[in-house]
Amino acid sequence: MALDNTGFSSCAESLSLPVPGKGEEPVEEAPKDAPPTNVQNVFEELGHVVTTETAPPTQQQANNSMSFQDKMAAREAQANQPFKKKIQGAVQERGRFGWGRNKRKRQRYVEKNGRCNVQHGNMRKTYRYLTDIFTTLVDLNWRCSLLVFVMAYAVTWLFFGAIWYLIAYCRGDLDHLEDEAWTPCVNNVNGFISAFLFSIETETTIGYGHRVITDQCPVGTMLLLLQAILGSMVNAFMVGCMFVKISQPNKRAETLVFSRNAVISLRDDKLCLMFRVGDLRSSHIVGANMRAKLIKSKQTQEGEFIPLDQTDISVGFETGDDRLFLVSPLVISHEIDVRSPFWDMSQSQLEKEDFEVVVILEGMVEATGMTCQARSSYLAEELLWGHRFSPMMTLAEGFFDVDYGAFHHTFEVDTPSCSARALALAAARLDAHLYWSISSRLDEEKWEEPNTTEQTGKSTDSESVREGERPTFTVGGVTNTQDQSVVGEQNGSVTTDQSESEA
């Protein structure tokens, strides 16, 4: 970004004049009669890059008269001016030189603890929650669940207590409290408090024996049966809700932990996305199954925008590696191949992407037999390129020792910064080069064989010529040579030695 020299005439000279330290030689200045040129001056002390244009010679003479403090103040003012505006809703991130830089905060779809960060609004048909009242009560938080539990019993006790008091009032039992000849509906009910206590004794089947219903009140007998039946239903419903809420496997997921970061590195000469999962309890998860999803907005070829599109990430479904035996911490690996959404993503592109990887672990709790699900997520900045998880298992005397202190630890390894596609193309080119080099060598050997044959034939002919130069003579149709060591038949002629020819 080039700054205008009119407003900051003194900054160009201050930025182009370095301050010599101890043991450093002063820098030679350019001649004043040199023509003005565009010079890029980088001031890294503040962590920013400032590009200015050199001032004409007349302005440089004026800048030389400034003091060192004035130059430093002008330098700081010019360097900090482009960063005065702050973006609303942005967070500060540490830059290269320790200064904060603006970056947009990324919103999670699934929190690290597994909670889905989604709120439903403008739901008009709220009666649907009442149709499934049992699930609605189970899904309530503990504060509301305890309130509903207490109110369910208190309301039924008060309701039936009021009815017992109304029966006693209508029959006139309250007016004949001192009349021993009068037979009330319920003995020893002299007010609302006593009627309320009788309602509690009836519904909870306590039966202290002081208050009891008589046979002279058929209405009270019907009400007693009704309260006993409704009380049993309330007990079954509320105790069932509390039992299901207490035995929910959601808290079992608290002992299923995921690594803080995911890593990308080479495994068997292939780029892989890896994360670690472990179980802190000694009771295991039966039938553990792992799944992963990529949450990223995309736009189709027709121009349709799909927010938070979900793409499946394979973690070994074809090979069965997604079914885990989770006795010790395991590293889950996703091979970045042609079907992977990270096929064209390099290290530099990863830093610019905005996506979220959601990992889901499902299984059955061994102690209760209920299905449990644990979730976590990784943002793009939580994926460490060129890292690998540290080992955390050692062999002790008679058992394997797992050190969960190194569960989140990673270390750097040599990893190419290119994408998996580029890495596969480079490997294919290397294989093709080796193939053609071996083929060319075989072709060269193939073309060299006829030449070797011709040379062998020529050497044979030369040897025969040399042998032909030897003196031969024939006696009576018998051919004799000077080589007396070879005796045989050649072309129907018999070769003999010289003694036989002379005989």
Side-chain angles (χ1 to χ4, degrees), residues 20 31 49 54 77 82 99 160 197 206 239 246 250 252 263 272 309 327 351 357 371 407 458 474:
V49 178
T54 56
W99 288 76
F160 284 102
L197 293 176
I206 295 176
V239 172
I246 292 174
N250 295 339
R252 179 64 176 89
V263 299
C272 295
D309 180 66
V327 178
E351 299 174 354
V357 178
T371 304
F407 185 81
K458 290 180 181 181
T474 305

Coordinates of all heavy atoms in Angstrom, one line a residue, residues 20 31 49 54 77 82 99 160 197 206 239 246 250 252 263 272 309 327 351 357 371 407 458 474:
P20 N 22.4 3.3 12.9 CA 23.5 2.4 13.1 C 23.6 2.1 14.6 O 23.6 3.0 15.4 CB 24.7 3.2 12.6 CG 24.3 4.6 12.7 CD 22.9 4.7 12.5
P31 N 23.3 9.9 -3.6 CA 23.5 11.3 -3.9 C 22.2 12.0 -4.1 O 21.2 11.5 -4.5 CB 24.3 11.1 -5.3 CG 24.0 9.8 -5.8 CD 23.8 8.9 -4.6
V49 N 4.5 -3.7 7.1 CA 5.2 -3.4 5.9 C 4.7 -2.1 5.3 O 3.5 -2.0 5.1 CB 5.1 -4.5 4.8 CG1 5.8 -4.1 3.5 CG2 5.6 -5.8 5.4
T54 N 10.3 7.9 -2.4 CA 11.3 8.8 -2.0 C 10.9 10.3 -2.4 O 10.4 10.5 -3.4 CB 12.7 8.5 -2.6 OG1 12.5 8.5 -4.0 CG2 13.1 7.1 -2.2
A77 N 3.4 6.9 13.7 CA 2.1 7.4 13.2 C 1.8 6.9 11.8 O 0.6 6.5 11.6 CB 2.1 8.9 13.3
P82 N -2.9 2.8 8.9 CA -3.9 1.9 8.2 C -4.6 0.9 9.2 O -5.5 0.3 8.7 CB -2.9 1.1 7.3 CG -1.7 1.9 7.2 CD -1.5 2.6 8.5
W99 N 2.2 -8.6 17.3 CA 1.1 -7.6 17.3 C -0.2 -8.3 16.9 O -0.2 -9.2 16.1 CB 1.4 -6.4 16.4 CG 2.5 -5.6 17.0 CD1 3.8 -5.9 17.1 CD2 2.3 -4.3 17.7 NE1 4.5 -4.9 17.7 CE2 3.6 -3.9 18.1 CE3 1.2 -3.6 18.0 CZ2 3.8 -2.7 18.7 CZ3 1.4 -2.4 18.6 CH2 2.7 -1.9 19.0
F160 N -57.0 -33.5 45.6 CA -57.9 -34.4 46.3 C -58.1 -34.0 47.7 O -59.2 -34.3 48.3 CB -57.2 -35.8 46.2 CG -57.4 -36.5 44.9 CD1 -56.3 -36.5 44.0 CD2 -58.6 -37.1 44.5 CE1 -56.4 -37.1 42.8 CE2 -58.7 -37.7 43.3 CZ -57.6 -37.7 42.4
L197 N -54.0 -33.9 54.8 CA -53.2 -35.0 55.3 C -53.8 -36.3 55.0 O -53.1 -37.3 54.7 CB -53.0 -34.8 56.8 CG -52.2 -33.6 57.3 CD1 -52.3 -33.5 58.9 CD2 -50.8 -33.7 56.8
I206 N -49.9 -44.6 53.1 CA -49.2 -44.7 54.4 C -50.1 -45.3 55.5 O -49.8 -46.3 56.1 CB -48.7 -43.3 54.9 CG1 -47.7 -42.7 53.9 CG2 -48.2 -43.3 56.3 CD1 -47.2 -41.3 54.2
V239 N -41.8 -41.4 38.4 CA -40.6 -42.3 38.7 C -40.0 -42.8 37.4 O -38.7 -42.9 37.3 CB -41.1 -43.4 39.6 CG1 -39.9 -44.4 39.8 CG2 -41.5 -42.9 41.0
I246 N -32.0 -40.2 34.9 CA -30.8 -40.6 35.6 C -29.9 -41.5 34.9 O -28.7 -41.4 34.8 CB -31.2 -41.2 37.0 CG1 -31.8 -40.1 37.9 CG2 -30.0 -41.7 37.7 CD1 -32.4 -40.6 39.2
N250 N -26.0 -40.0 28.3 CA -25.3 -38.7 27.9 C -24.1 -38.5 28.7 O -23.0 -38.0 28.2 CB -26.3 -37.5 28.0 CG -27.4 -37.7 27.0 OD1 -27.4 -38.4 26.0 ND2 -28.5 -37.0 27.3
R252 N -22.3 -40.7 30.0 CA -21.2 -41.7 29.7 C -20.3 -41.1 28.6 O -19.1 -41.5 28.5 CB -21.9 -43.0 29.2 CG -20.9 -44.1 28.7 CD -20.1 -44.5 29.9 NE -19.2 -45.6 29.5 CZ -18.0 -45.5 29.1 NH1 -17.5 -44.3 28.9 NH2 -17.2 -46.5 28.8
V263 N -4.5 -34.0 12.9 CA -3.3 -33.8 12.3 C -3.4 -34.3 10.8 O -4.2 -35.2 10.5 CB -2.1 -34.5 13.0 CG1 -1.9 -34.0 14.4 CG2 -2.4 -36.0 13.1
C272 N -2.9 -38.4 5.1 CA -4.1 -38.9 5.9 C -4.4 -37.8 7.0 O -3.6 -37.2 7.5 CB -3.7 -40.2 6.6 SG -3.4 -41.6 5.5
D309 N -23.5 -27.6 4.3 CA -23.7 -28.9 3.6 C -22.8 -30.0 4.2 O -21.7 -29.7 4.6 CB -23.3 -28.7 2.1 CG -23.4 -30.0 1.3 OD1 -24.6 -30.5 1.2 OD2 -22.4 -30.6 0.9
V327 N -10.4 -50.4 23.6 CA -9.8 -50.8 24.9 C -8.8 -49.8 25.3 O -8.6 -49.4 26.5 CB -9.3 -52.2 24.9 CG1 -8.7 -52.6 26.2 CG2 -10.4 -53.2 24.6
E351 N -5.2 -23.1 5.3 CA -5.3 -22.0 6.2 C -6.3 -20.9 5.8 O -6.7 -20.1 6.6 CB -3.9 -21.3 6.2 CG -2.8 -22.2 6.7 CD -1.4 -21.6 6.6 OE1 -1.4 -20.5 6.0 OE2 -0.4 -22.2 7.1
V357 N -15.0 -30.2 10.7 CA -15.0 -31.7 10.7 C -15.7 -32.2 12.0 O -15.2 -31.9 13.0 CB -13.6 -32.3 10.5 CG1 -13.7 -33.8 10.5 CG2 -13.0 -31.8 9.2
T371 N -27.6 -47.3 24.2 CA -26.8 -46.7 23.2 C -26.2 -45.3 23.6 O -27.0 -44.5 24.1 CB -27.6 -46.6 21.9 OG1 -28.1 -47.9 21.5 CG2 -26.7 -46.1 20.7
F407 N -2.0 -37.6 25.7 CA -3.2 -37.8 24.8 C -3.3 -36.8 23.7 O -3.5 -37.1 22.5 CB -4.4 -37.9 25.6 CG -5.6 -38.3 24.7 CD1 -5.9 -39.6 24.4 CD2 -6.5 -37.3 24.3 CE1 -7.0 -40.0 23.7 CE2 -7.6 -37.7 23.5 CZ -7.9 -39.0 23.2
K458 N 31.5 -62.5 -37.8 CA 32.7 -62.0 -38.4 C 33.9 -62.6 -37.8 O 34.8 -63.0 -38.5 CB 32.7 -60.5 -38.3 CG 31.7 -59.8 -39.1 CD 31.8 -58.3 -39.0 CE 30.7 -57.6 -39.8 NZ 30.8 -56.1 -39.7
T474 N 46.4 -83.1 -50.8 CA 45.5 -84.3 -51.0 C 46.3 -85.4 -51.6 O 47.0 -85.2 -52.6 CB 44.3 -83.9 -51.9 OG1 43.7 -82.8 -51.3 CG2 43.4 -85.0 -52.0

